[in-house]
Amino acid sequence: LAKTTQPISMDSYEGQEVNITCSHNNIATNDYITWYQQFPSQGPRFIIQGYKTKVTNEVASLFIPADRKSSTLSLPRVSLSDTAVYYCLVAPEGAGSYQLTFGKGTKLSVIP
Amino acid sequence: GAVVSQHPSWVICKSGTSVKIECRSLDFQATTMFWYRQFPKQSLMLMATSNEGSKATYEQGVEKDKFLINHASLTLSTLTVTSAHPEDSSFYICSGRTGSGNQPQHFGDGTRLSIL
């Protein structure tokens, strides 16, 4: 499984756009990139998943360059409720066990 | 969609007691379910992977006789912590995933286990 590296923590003011970058230099051809959000004492919540270029949904965008060795989660106009730990994971897709290895994640603190 | 319900959310019990945690996929069939453990201020650690109708595959260092996993149906998996001790106190989280297509794992809200 490809190892991921993220900043340990980030601070942002309310209303700003936040970009969290994840490095995954050893990503394999059949690996997908998935981001999860976790609040204290709750299970992780799926945010977004992508393979290449750009993916956008109602809560975030995911930018993946052509070499796929990194990815950036973009949260538009964050609010206090976006304060959480964000995990970037890389794993192969398809049938099978599809194990996830969680790194340390990025603790995002949104400041009023 | 893709809701995973975990029960109980919080349990306190005496040392030596066995505790069962249930994980249900409410609106999808989870061909594979995963069990994680998370200690305070740490990341999730995968304990075991189970496919419906098969024996669970445990990660290195996880005692299969202590953490009994049953995945008898496509919507239910259980984790039983047998003869629990204070060092087993942790936050236990399950997740489920269908085996079809490009589907991510969906997590329950966890169970806080405190052993006195």
Side-chain angles (χ1 to χ4, degrees):
Chain A
L1 296 173
K3 182 180 177 181
T4 60
T5 303
Q6 305 173 231
I8 296 296
S9 64
M10 293 180 69
D11 293 336
S12 175
Y13 288 102
E14 271 192 296
Q16 289 189 329
E17 177 185 77
V18 171
N19 296 309
I20 306 175
T21 297
C22 178
S23 170
H24 28 79
N25 291 318
N26 296 324
I27 190 168
T29 303
N30 59 341
D31 283 346
Y32 277 72
I33 301 155
T34 310
W35 285 80
Y36 286 86
Q37 173 193 55
Q38 187 181 27
F39 297 113
S41 296
Q42 292 187 26
R45 184 173 70 98
F46 170 79
I47 300 175
I48 198 165
Q49 179 175 286
Y51 183 81
K52 63 180 179 180
T53 61
K54 177 183 175 182
V55 180
T56 297
N57 61 22
E58 62 275 11
V59 297
S61 295
L62 178 60
F63 298 93
I64 305 168
D67 66 4
R68 305 201 324 123
K69 293 183 183 298
S70 67
S71 60
T72 299
L73 174 71
S74 181
L75 305 172
R77 296 180 298 281
V78 294
S79 63
L80 295 177
S81 62
D82 293 317
T83 293
V85 178
Y86 292 82
Y87 293 98
C88 160
L89 296 103
V90 172
E93 193 41 272
S97 62
Y98 182 56
Q99 291 185 336
L100 293 178
T101 299
F102 281 81
K104 296 184 183 301
T106 297
K107 184 175 182 180
L108 173 65
S109 298
V110 179
I111 306 164
Chain B
V3 177
V4 174
S5 174
Q6 197 170 332
H7 179 81
S9 57
W10 183 57
V11 59
I12 301 175
C13 57
K14 294 181 179 180
S15 183
T17 306
S18 291
V19 179
K20 179 184 282 189
I21 302 170
E22 289 189 351
C23 179
R24 294 181 184 274
S25 57
L26 299 185
D27 53 2
F28 70 101
Q29 293 186 327
T31 52
T32 305
M33 284 188 166
F34 305 84
W35 287 94
Y36 296 82
R37 181 165 52 182
Q38 186 175 31
F39 292 107
K41 298 187 186 295
Q42 294 188 24
S43 188
L44 285 79
M45 294 188 301
L46 179 66
M47 298 176 66
T49 302
S50 73
N51 292 300
E52 184 261 339
S54 303
K55 288 184 178 180
T57 301
Y58 290 81
E59 295 300 299
Q60 192 172 7
V62 178
E63 300 176 55
K64 62 179 181 180
D65 294 330
K66 182 168 187 62
F67 299 98
L68 302 179
I69 292 172
N70 183 281
H71 189 175
S73 78
L74 288 171
T75 59
L76 174 65
S77 176
T78 61
L79 167 68
T80 301
V81 183
T82 61
S83 187
H85 293 288
E87 59 266 27
D88 298 322
S89 298
S90 188
F91 190 52
Y92 292 85
I93 310 170
C94 71
S95 72
R97 178 183 180 270
T98 65
S100 59
N102 185 14
Q103 298 295 323
Q105 287 186 27
H106 296 281
F107 289 80
D109 272 340
T111 297
R112 177 74 59 191
L113 176 62
S114 296
I115 309 297
L116 305 178

